[in-house]
Amino acid sequence: MIKIHKLSNNMRAGGQVNILAGRGAVSMQNIADELGVSKVTVSKAINGKEGVSGPLRQKILQTAADHGYVLPDYGQRKARTIAIIMSERFHSGDSGRFYMGMYEHINRELRMRAYSSVMITPNPETLEHDAETIEKPGMFDGLIFLGILDKEVRERIDRIPLPKVYVDLYDVGYRSDSVVTESIYSAYEITKHLIRSGHREIGFVGTLGVTTSINDRYLGYMRALMEKGLKEQERWRIPDRDQAGRAVDLQLPQELPEAFMCNCDETAFRLVRELKRRGLSVPEDVSVVGFDDDIYAGLCEPQLTTVAVDMKEIGRTAVKCMVRRMERTGTENSEGEVYRIPGKLIFRDSVRERKGRMKSEK
C-alpha cells in the first residue's frame, strides 16, 4: 500500500528563488521584513534547510500563501519526497497503532519542512516491484525505515543508493543514522521499581535475538537483577514471538515468579490475559510491567506500569538526521550515528507493593 502526502505549489521547496505575487515580484527580504526575521531565515525556510524551528517555518510558508505568493518551479527541482518503509502488518489494527503513531510524528516533521512523504509497505511478493519504484530516478530523495522488516525486504531496499535513516531499529552496517528509544537504562529503571516494591522473583517476557530493542531491554533487566544479587531463572524467560516477529502463544510454567518485566505493552497485555485465564489476579498474585505506553497500556485491566516512548522527539530527530543526510555528499560512505531517545516511567496499577520491603529500597 502506498500513501502519499503532497504539498500545494505555494509550499514547494526549490533553489534560490524570488516569490512572485500577482503583478509584482517580491523578494525574500520583503517577507523577512514583514515577519521581523532575517532574510537568511526566510531562505532556509523556503528551501527546507536546517536552522529554522517548525512553527516559524510554517509561519513563513503560511505568510507567503496568505498573500497569494507562489514559489515558481522552473523545472529544475521538485519538492523533496521521502519514502517511509514499514511492514504491512504495522499498517492497521491494534498492533499497528504504535508504528502508525510514530509514522504520523515523522510525517508531521516532514511537512514542517515542506517535504512530501510516501508510505511503502513491501513484502516478499511485492518486493521487486516496490524496489523498482523506489529506484526510479528522481522519485525519492531519501528513505526512512520504520520498525522491523522482513529480512529479505530490508536487505534488498538497503542496497538502494539513497540517504537512509532507521527508526526503532539499528542499521546493522552502521552506514546510516539510527534513532531508537533508549532501552537498556529504561528497562533497568522499571525492573528496579519492581525490586523496590519488594519483588525478588522476576521473569522476563520477550524473544531474545529477534530485535535489538528486546535484547537491550533484557540487558537492562539483567543489570537490575545483578545489582541486587538476584539470579535470573531460565524457566521464567518466556518467548513472545517467532523469529519473524509474529506473536506466539505465551507458554507459562506451572510455578510463576512474583513479577514479570515484559519487552512491550502488547506482550504485557497478553500476559495479563493469560494469567487471568489461569485464575490469577494482577497485581495481587503477579505484578506486570510493560514498555512503550501504547494503546495496550490503557486497555489492560489493570492499566500497566510502563515506559513511555517519546514519539515526538523520535520523529523530530529522525527528520533532522534525514535532512543532514540529504545535504551531505558521499552519504553512503559516511559512518552513521545512533541517537537514543530517553523514555519516561509511567506508574499505574499493575504493580503490587509486597510486604517485607526493605527501608533502604524505598
Side-chain angles (χ1 to χ4, degrees):
M1 178 178 179
I2 297 180
K3 184 178 181 181
I4 303 177
H5 297 270
K6 290 297 184 183
L7 301 170
S8 58
N9 287 338
N10 61 349
M11 292 180 67
R12 287 183 181 174
Q16 293 295 326
V17 296
N18 286 333
I19 297 178
L20 304 179
R23 301 176 179 175
V26 179
S27 70
M28 285 185 279
Q29 186 62 60
N30 297 138
I31 298 176
D33 293 342
E34 180 173 339
L35 295 177
V37 298
S38 70
K39 179 180 176 181
V40 172
T41 298
V42 173
S43 177
K44 286 181 177 180
I46 290 173
N47 291 287
K49 301 281 187 177
E50 282 285 286
V52 184
S53 68
L56 178 56
R57 186 186 306 274
Q58 288 291 81
K59 185 176 182 181
I60 291 170
L61 294 172
Q62 188 60 55
T63 298
D66 290 344
H67 289 285
Y69 304 143
V70 176
L71 296 178
D73 183 354
Y74 295 113
Q76 298 174 352
R77 286 186 60 185
K78 63 179 180 62
R80 282 175 166 167
T81 303
I82 308 301
I84 302 178
I85 315 296
M86 62 186 291
S87 172
E88 60 184 353
R89 68 176 179 270
F90 297 141
H91 183 255
S92 61
D94 288 341
S95 62
R97 291 177 186 270
F98 178 81
Y99 283 109
M100 287 305 297
M102 193 170 288
Y103 163 79
E104 290 299 336
H105 282 287
I106 292 171
N107 191 50
R108 186 176 298 115
E109 290 294 326
L110 289 171
R111 290 200 305 267
M112 286 184 178
R113 289 163 174 77
Y115 294 172
S116 300
S117 72
V118 177
M119 179 194 293
I120 302 180
T121 55
N123 58 53
E125 288 71 36
T126 66
L127 177 57
E128 283 309 313
H129 177 269
D130 291 332
E132 289 176 4
T133 300
I134 296 170
E135 290 175 317
K136 185 177 179 181
M139 180 67 72
F140 297 109
D141 298 277
L143 308 176
I144 294 179
F145 291 79
L146 178 55
I148 188 172
L149 294 165
D150 292 321
K151 186 173 184 291
E152 179 184 357
V153 170
R154 178 171 169 175
E155 290 179 349
R156 173 65 179 87
I157 298 179
D158 185 64
R159 296 197 297 269
I160 297 174
L162 286 171
K164 303 178 185 73
V165 173
Y166 292 76
V167 179
D168 203 43
L169 76 163
Y170 292 90
D171 171 20
V172 295
Y174 295 101
R175 294 166 301 172
S176 302
D177 295 330
S178 302
V179 184
V180 299
T181 296
E182 194 295 306
S183 289
I184 296 179
Y185 186 74
S186 296
Y188 164 76
E189 284 295 326
I190 203 166
T191 305
K192 276 180 61 178
H193 172 62
L194 291 173
I195 296 172
R196 286 193 297 265
S197 297
H199 300 288
R200 293 297 177 270
E201 299 174 350
I202 305 173
F204 181 85
V205 188
T207 304
L208 302 184
V210 176
T211 69
T212 51
S213 62
I214 294 178
N215 293 345
D216 286 349
R217 291 165 196 181
Y218 175 75
L219 291 173
Y221 153 82
M222 285 297 298
R223 175 185 168 186
L225 294 187
M226 288 189 293
E227 280 192 0
K228 286 297 180 181
L230 304 176
K231 292 185 178 180
E232 181 204 20
Q233 301 294 324
E234 189 171 345
R235 69 183 185 277
W236 293 333
R237 189 195 312 152
I238 313 298
D240 71 328
R241 66 194 71 193
D242 61 22
Q243 290 301 311
R246 293 181 290 264
V248 299
D249 292 337
L250 302 178
Q251 303 296 324
L252 303 182
Q254 284 300 116
E255 182 184 356
L256 296 173
E258 300 164 347
F260 279 106
M261 190 267 157
C262 300
N263 79 91
C264 70
D265 290 336
E266 180 181 0
T267 291
F269 176 85
R270 294 196 295 121
L271 174 63
V272 171
R273 186 172 57 190
E274 177 62 20
L275 292 170
K276 288 181 177 180
R277 191 186 67 81
R278 288 194 175 195
L280 299 172
S281 296
V282 176
E284 289 78 12
D285 297 313
V286 181
S287 291
V288 176
V289 298
F291 205 110
D292 289 335
D293 196 30
D294 64 14
I295 187 173
Y296 289 99
L299 290 176
C300 190
E301 295 182 5
Q303 293 189 344
L304 293 171
T305 290
T306 186
V307 176
V309 171
D310 191 344
M311 290 190 186
K312 185 175 182 180
E313 185 58 33
I314 287 174
R316 181 183 298 117
T317 302
V319 172
K320 284 183 178 179
C321 289
M322 177 53 67
V323 171
R324 286 197 295 268
R325 285 271 158 188
M326 289 189 297
E327 293 180 350
R328 190 183 305 164
T329 58
T331 301
E332 292 303 306
N333 296 322
S334 59
E335 188 171 338
E337 297 185 39
V338 178
Y339 297 84
R340 295 177 174 84
I341 310 302
K344 178 182 178 182
L345 265 64
I346 306 295
F347 302 101
R348 296 196 180 99
D349 302 323
S350 63
V351 176
R352 169 196 173 196
E353 187 170 319
R354 297 177 65 87
K355 293 180 180 180
R357 177 181 180 185
M358 296 174 62
K359 291 182 178 179
S360 61
E361 293 171 344
K362 292 184 180 180

